[in-house]
Amino acid sequence: MLILGIDTSCDDTSASVVEDGSRIISNIVSNQTEIHKKYGGIVPELASRRHIEMIWPVAGEALRTAGVTLEDLACIAVCHGPGLIGSLLVGCSFAKALCYSKGIPCVAVNHLEGHIFASFLEEPKPDFPFLALVVSGGHTSIYKVAGFGEYQELGRTRDDAAGEAYDKVSKLLGLGYPGGPIIDNLAREGNPASIGFPRAYLPESLDFSFSGLKTAVLNYLRTTEGRGNTTARGPETGTPELADIAASFQAAIIDVLVRKTERALKQEQAGRLVLSGGVAANRELRRRMTEMGNEKGFEVFMPSLSLCTDNAAMIAAAGYHHFKAGHFAGPDLNPVAYLPLS
Ligand code: KG4
Ligand code: ZN
């Protein structure tokens, strides 16, 4: 059973053909980094316009690469939220038009559900139940996943998402956008113990908070002698101090993510963890989560890097289960910017 997945939730235009919800036949992602980087972040209006330009070429390439036509599809699975409303609108309108004109069923997929189901596109696949830590540019949440459609949010960020913290701190350090991969690389050259940035453990809950950490980095840059002019910094300077700040910031984020995830696993007596979302592409987070799993006896599942960041294969993977359950979307399907999973 072939499904065409479509994701235009943020700044990546993606289309993918997936067989039986688990085998990727093609997965095309057109990213917009070049457009947004000069503004230091995503400009929603520019993102929507670029999606309009790219949606047909990207969907066409996904079908061509897979060697299939629209007639071969069982359905089209489209992400309808959460995300940037103008961006989502492009994918939803495109999918609905295609489904209507070709008489193909349409299913709507929550983007966060997609991130969780990315782990079913590779071997080994997790068995239910498991806990899922979704860490992306817009979300940081821990879910208990009992089965398809059975999600319970155990904790979430009360302010910034982990990826948002990476992006904002990267901007403060004059390192550019997107901050996650830049800090991931730079931090490898720095000493993570050089600056003791705060860790907000919020011991009474499984929630997260990262905005204080961002402020702590800002205060550090303002108050430390000789470090006032952050805009003069840049990757080209290659100063060891900058790498130390990046590594210390990253250590603070990862300490919290790992320790709280471990607490959630113990509290729920869960044996399996799925790590997903753009920040799950971070090499140090992957290493630390794997280490924690090995030490404490939890199985840890992490999609490959390209399946952690936004892609349409994960939408098709989750869409497969909606299709089997008969959850079809009609022409009245509308995108939703705020769409909690549970
Ligand atoms: O899942 P995603 O592609 O889009 C959203 O749904 O938000 O996640 C994007 C976020 C961005 O904040 C980006 O900086 C972060 O994921 N990210 C990373 C890495 N790669 C992407 N953060 C840390 N380390 C990385 N290697
Ligand atoms: Zn995402």
Side-chain angles (χ1 to χ4, degrees):
M1 181 197 294
L2 297 174
I3 294 183
L4 175 69
I6 291 175
D7 187 276
T8 60
S9 57
C10 193
D11 62 337
D12 292 315
T13 317
S14 182
S16 165
V17 176
V18 172
E19 188 179 29
D20 297 336
S22 60
R23 195 167 79 85
I24 299 175
I25 315 286
S26 67
N27 189 22
I28 310 296
V29 182
S30 162
N31 82 52
Q32 304 181 356
T33 307
E34 282 308 312
I35 293 174
H36 302 289
K37 79 175 182 198
K38 58 177 168 291
Y39 303 102
I42 298 164
V43 182
E45 180 61 23
L46 296 182
S48 321
R49 290 182 195 192
R50 187 65 177 157
H51 282 309
I52 292 172
E53 289 168 2
M54 294 309 296
I55 188 73
W56 248 127
V58 167
E61 198 179 332
L63 294 169
R64 251 191 323 279
T65 310
V68 302
T69 64
L70 290 170
E71 282 68 30
D72 299 319
L73 301 174
C75 79
I76 295 179
V78 64
C79 168
H80 68 127
L84 300 173
I85 198 71
S87 292
L88 290 164
L89 195 55
V90 177
C92 284
S93 307
F94 179 80
K96 284 196 296 183
L98 218 49
C99 288
Y100 180 72
S101 64
K102 290 285 177 184
I104 306 170
C106 184
V107 300
V109 175
N110 183 304
H111 186 78
L112 303 167
E113 188 178 39
H115 273 306
I116 293 171
F117 275 81
S119 56
F120 289 86
L121 290 165
E122 291 174 325
E123 297 296 338
K125 302 183 199 317
D127 288 327
F128 297 110
F130 56 78
L131 294 197
L133 174 67
V134 180
V135 263
S136 70
H139 296 85
T140 300
S141 295
I142 304 183
Y143 298 98
K144 185 173 181 174
V145 182
F148 168 70
E150 298 174 66
Y151 317 114
Q152 183 194 351
E153 192 179 59
L154 303 174
R156 57 155 57 203
T157 183
R158 295 182 183 177
D159 39 58
D160 290 351
E164 194 179 351
Y166 267 97
D167 294 336
K168 286 177 175 171
V169 165
S170 177
K171 205 169 173 178
L172 288 177
L173 296 177
L175 293 172
Y177 167 86
I182 297 172
I183 291 184
D184 185 349
N185 286 329
L186 186 62
R188 293 165 81 83
E189 297 157 30
N191 174 6
S194 59
I195 306 153
F197 288 128
R199 276 95 167 132
Y201 285 114
L202 308 180
E204 76 288 0
S205 84
L206 290 173
D207 283 350
F208 300 93
S209 169
F210 295 113
S211 68
L213 173 58
K214 174 192 65 196
T215 310
V217 175
L218 180 62
N219 287 340
Y220 174 81
L221 293 170
R222 278 188 183 146
T223 56
T224 309
E225 218 180 47
R227 293 186 174 87
N229 185 4
T230 58
T231 53
R233 296 175 181 279
E236 68 283 355
T237 64
T239 56
E241 293 158 67
L242 202 54
D244 290 341
I245 301 170
S248 301
F249 156 77
Q250 175 163 283
I253 290 234
I254 294 178
D255 278 354
V256 173
L257 289 174
V258 173
R259 185 158 344 153
K260 298 214 72 158
T261 303
E262 182 186 338
R263 193 193 304 163
L265 286 161
K266 285 182 178 155
Q267 180 184 304
E268 297 299 319
Q269 298 180 333
R272 284 176 286 273
L273 170 73
V274 165
L275 180 65
S276 63
V279 182
N282 184 277
R283 283 166 296 176
E284 183 61 8
L285 177 62
R286 296 169 80 89
R287 189 188 70 74
R288 291 275 309 277
M289 228 28 127
T290 306
E291 188 180 77
M292 184 273 288
N294 290 342
E295 276 173 14
K296 312 285 172 170
F298 301 116
E299 266 186 288
V300 180
F301 298 82
M302 297 178 284
S304 306
L305 304 196
S306 61
L307 294 176
C308 287
T309 47
D310 287 351
N311 66 89
M314 68 187 199
I315 302 299
Y320 169 77
H321 296 277
H322 284 287
F323 180 79
K324 286 213 311 185
H327 300 160
F328 297 112
D332 57 346
L333 172 69
N334 273 322
V336 191
Y338 177 71
L339 190 63
L341 194 50
S342 60

